[in-house]
Amino acid sequence: MNDQRSASEPAAAAVAIPEAVAAFDGAAPARRTGAERRAALTPIVLVVAGGLSVQFGSAVAALLMPKAGALGVVTLRLAAAALILLVICRPKLRGHSRADWGTVLAFGVAMGGMNTLFYLALDRIPLGIAVTLEVLGPLALSVFASRRMVNLVWAGLALVGVVLLGGGGFDRLDPVGAAYALGAGAMWAAYIVFSARTGRRFPQADGLALAMVVAAVLSLPLGIIESGAKLTVPSTVALGAAVAVLSSVLPYTLELMALRRLPAPTFAVMMSLEPAIAAGAGFLILDQALSTTDALAIALVIGASVGAVRSRTGSAPRREG
């Protein structure tokens, strides 16, 4: 989410909003039956599958960019995802206050900005590096929201990883692409804040569907200006729909299913592994091999994200068994 991606309200909130980190039962049973072990493993498999779907969807989007352009791909993805979510959720338009609509509007703007900036970055720099830079947004939000000094250590570790990615000065990376990825990270942080607020104001995924419509409408002029009639080519539309399913609809479903049975802290830590998944997708589909330095930098950012989440959730109160 990531992305670059429009994660579900609970998913996004679990990553970086302290209030959204749920307390969980620390008393584990001494023995588990085979059925219990399978039940415990299922949500983890769902989260991993969701992450794979998102990042491989981004890789497919990169293949589509020569045909439709970065902004055209954003428009196709958001428009297709909005249509699918409207059909599935059928959100109610009545009964909402002005504040509710303001929140969903801000959510849609953040979602559209996050996707647009990420795909512009993906058009210039490798997928794994783009996601690594983007994930700094939620990491920074988590660090700033926490009052624990240890999170400054994790922020410093992430900074070291970014410096390594840039070769000491971003000489190896396209500076514009890196700036787009960092901007996408800032919008991801805003997305997390407004997704949590939207989730509190709208039932189920209604707010998400409405915000997706806002994002699609905002992206439409940009896509038309850049790509024009290319957006009507059947093969391009089909690939855009595939990107929408892989990067939005399928992971939303898998993550929502997982969050019903998986503690939020565990989910947040697993979300921190997405740069590694993205690097794998970039290598397998786009032939984007990473150097040893790049791999080390990604590992540092992942470690910083995991450390920040664990230090935050470690201070959460435990429920008595």
Side-chain angles (χ1 to χ4, degrees):
M1 186 200 305
N2 115 266
D3 198 161
Q4 83 282 359
R5 67 176 169 156
S6 312
S8 59
E9 287 92 336
V15 175
I17 300 298
E19 291 82 356
V21 179
F24 58 96
D25 193 345
R31 294 181 181 177
R32 286 185 176 183
T33 64
E36 289 173 333
R37 285 193 294 270
R38 287 192 295 273
L41 183 62
T42 297
I44 294 175
V45 172
L46 292 174
V47 173
V48 173
L52 289 170
S53 180
V54 166
Q55 301 309 334
F56 278 86
S58 295
V60 174
L63 294 175
L64 182 58
M65 283 180 187
K67 296 182 178 181
L71 297 177
V73 172
V74 173
T75 296
L76 288 172
R77 174 191 167 176
L78 292 178
L83 289 174
I84 293 171
L85 287 174
L86 284 176
V87 171
I88 294 175
C89 300
R90 288 183 285 184
K92 296 180 180 179
L93 300 180
R94 296 181 179 181
H96 302 299
S97 68
R98 182 176 299 179
D100 292 340
W101 286 113
T103 299
V104 84
L105 177 63
F107 186 22
V109 170
M111 186 187 301
M114 176 180 65
N115 280 275
T116 299
L117 290 169
F118 178 77
Y119 281 117
L120 287 172
L122 191 58
D123 197 31
R124 292 173 175 266
I125 60 178
L127 175 60
I129 293 176
V131 175
T132 301
L133 292 173
E134 186 192 27
V135 83
L136 293 177
L139 173 61
L141 181 61
S142 180
V143 170
F144 292 148
S146 173
R147 298 179 180 179
R148 303 189 69 188
M149 293 298 294
V150 69
N151 276 331
L152 295 178
V153 176
W154 303 124
L157 189 64
L159 181 60
V160 172
V162 172
V163 171
L164 285 176
L165 277 180
F170 286 100
D171 295 333
R172 294 184 306 111
L173 293 181
D174 182 310
V176 177
Y180 281 143
L182 291 172
M187 296 304 293
W188 191 359
Y191 165 89
I192 289 171
V193 173
F194 287 108
S195 68
R197 294 180 184 178
T198 301
R200 291 192 292 266
R201 289 179 176 271
F202 290 83
Q204 300 179 4
D206 285 13
L208 177 64
L210 293 171
M212 188 71 76
V213 172
V214 172
V217 170
L218 292 176
S219 72
L220 187 60
L222 300 176
I224 292 175
I225 291 172
E226 181 181 74
S227 304
K230 294 179 182 178
L231 298 179
T232 63
V233 176
S235 60
T236 301
V237 172
L239 283 174
V243 171
V245 172
L246 286 172
S247 297
S248 299
V249 179
L250 183 58
Y252 297 161
T253 303
L254 295 174
E255 289 170 1
L256 285 172
M257 291 171 60
L259 280 165
R260 294 192 182 112
R261 292 173 284 180
L262 191 67
T266 304
F267 179 86
V269 170
M270 294 188 69
M271 289 288 287
S272 302
L273 302 179
E274 290 215 359
I277 298 176
F283 174 74
L284 292 174
I285 296 181
L286 304 176
D287 197 25
Q288 295 176 344
L290 296 176
S291 68
T292 302
T293 301
D294 291 336
L296 176 60
I298 291 174
L300 287 174
V301 174
I302 291 173
S305 299
V306 172
V309 171
R310 289 184 65 86
S311 64
R312 172 61 201 162
T313 57
S315 64
R318 291 178 179 267
R319 190 172 61 224
E320 294 298 330

